[in-house]
Amino acid sequence: MLRSALLNVMVAAARKAARNLKRDFGEVEHLQVSLKGPANFVSAADRKAEETLRFELEKARPGYGFLGEEGGLQRGSDETHTWIVDPLDGTTNFLHGIPQFAISIALEREGTIVAGVIYNPVSEELFVAERGKGAFLNDQRIRVAGRRRLADAVIGCGLPHLGRGDLAVFRKEFAMVQDKVAGLRRLGAASLDLAWVAAGRYDAFWERDLSPWDMAAGILMVREAGGYVGDCDGGDAMLSRKSIVCGNETMHRELLGLLQAAGRG
Ligand code: IPD
Ligand code: CA
Ligand code: CA
């Protein structure tokens, strides 16, 4: 696969930040037993990763805006381009020594996401997509799964965190979906959940209360892998409504139908 200059910039930045994250992940295990625990250490690792990404992306594309989970929105002189970055998606996993976390970088151009990179530093799985050019995992083209029956489907989801999101809504949706599908999973890093839909591992995925940096790269990844993406209300305002449902055309429609039925029940 011949990568564009833009994707090369994004991949190089992700790999650079990943080196430190991977080393820090190795340290977390030792810190588990210390009195203070690893939480402070992890938030420092998270901030450091965002700084590296911002520095590298700014160096390659001066003037672009930057929306990062840690530092919020920093406008650039070029108002048409904004990076949307989660330096560490799957923090709880990272903190617990679970190797399911990623760096997620998207580029928005005039309101449209045009490129996305999602990288798991431990598995070294690199997902990339560019608008109109397909989605790739470690340079191999990926496509969403072809299953058409919910009864055969493995579906990913997100659980509301302690003190966040609406547990009652989630429980209704969960019960509705669980009744109909082969399996449900909750792996804890939304960017990778979306990349896994793109790679055909999950047949579909839904989650509420997500932020733009959790989803931006993944939305493009799923679309470029031939999938359908929308919000949980049947529209396509994922970033502003903070929710997402995706899969192949049939799975997207079926899962959305179940979520809407749960809302009426
Ligand atoms: C979280 C993960 C998780 C999702 C949460 C996100 P973070 O991101 O993507 O899977 O359920 O809603 O906040 O905090 O680990 O970057
Ligand atoms: Ca996140
Ligand atoms: Ca994060």
Side-chain angles (χ1 to χ4, degrees):
M1 170 205 173
L2 199 60
R3 257 190 230 135
S4 68
L6 172 62
L7 277 181
N8 278 334
V9 161
M10 295 166 73
V11 169
R15 287 196 190 282
K16 186 140 198 188
R19 279 202 287 277
N20 283 329
L21 270 188
K22 196 172 169 180
R23 203 187 44 229
D24 292 343
F25 182 67
E27 290 292 313
V28 166
E29 229 171 290
H30 305 298
L31 293 168
Q32 302 283 6
V33 290
S34 86
L35 261 185
K36 214 166 154 202
N40 292 338
F41 176 80
V42 171
S43 58
D46 202 347
R47 276 198 310 275
K48 193 167 61 190
E50 182 159 316
E51 272 164 35
T52 303
L53 292 167
R54 195 156 51 85
F55 180 82
E56 293 299 320
L57 295 170
E58 168 70 18
K59 193 170 69 183
R61 294 288 186 277
Y64 284 15
F66 188 97
L67 172 64
E69 177 167 21
E70 302 304 311
L73 177 65
Q74 285 150 52
R75 285 181 197 287
S77 52
D78 176 346
E79 300 253 312
T80 59
H81 289 90
T82 306
W83 300 111
I84 304 178
V85 171
D86 194 338
L88 171 53
D89 183 44
T91 326
T92 308
N93 284 342
F94 189 97
L95 191 63
H96 286 255
I98 300 170
Q100 180 76 358
F101 60 90
I103 291 167
S104 176
I105 309 173
L107 179 65
E108 188 182 66
R109 178 180 296 143
E110 291 174 335
T112 303
I113 301 155
V114 294
V117 165
I118 298 167
Y119 182 51
N120 177 338
V122 181
S123 68
E124 295 183 7
E125 286 194 323
L126 173 72
F127 298 87
V128 305
E130 208 169 350
R131 195 159 187 258
K133 296 187 186 161
F136 298 81
L137 162 55
N138 292 348
D139 291 340
Q140 300 290 318
R141 186 85 189 239
I142 49 175
R143 284 201 61 79
V144 291
R147 289 183 198 85
R148 310 244 162 245
R149 285 164 20 103
L150 282 174
D152 300 326
V154 170
I155 293 192
C157 62
L159 275 160
H161 286 220
L162 189 65
R164 250 177 58 191
D166 192 329
L167 259 183
V169 168
F170 176 76
R171 284 183 181 139
K172 274 195 196 169
E173 292 180 343
F174 189 85
M176 184 65 85
V177 177
Q178 190 182 26
D179 255 2
K180 302 275 190 305
V181 302
L184 274 169
R185 302 284 184 273
R186 195 303 190 238
L187 294 183
S191 61
L192 286 175
D193 290 328
L194 295 172
W196 283 33
V197 172
R201 294 174 180 170
Y202 285 155
D203 296 289
F205 172 77
W206 93 98
E207 185 163 3
R208 294 179 182 274
D209 298 303
L210 287 177
S211 298
W213 44 82
D214 300 316
M215 294 187 268
I219 290 169
L220 182 68
M221 208 67 67
V222 174
R223 285 189 169 147
E224 287 299 322
Y228 278 61
V229 185
D231 60 45
C232 292
D233 303 301
D236 68 350
M238 291 76 70
L239 299 194
S240 57
R241 302 202 79 101
K242 301 173 107 3
S243 71
I244 191 162
V245 193
C246 62
N248 69 30
E249 185 182 4
T250 312
M251 284 294 152
H252 169 261
R253 190 182 54 242
E254 297 278 327
L255 179 55
L256 180 62
L258 290 179
L259 301 180
Q260 289 180 331
R264 288 190 298 271

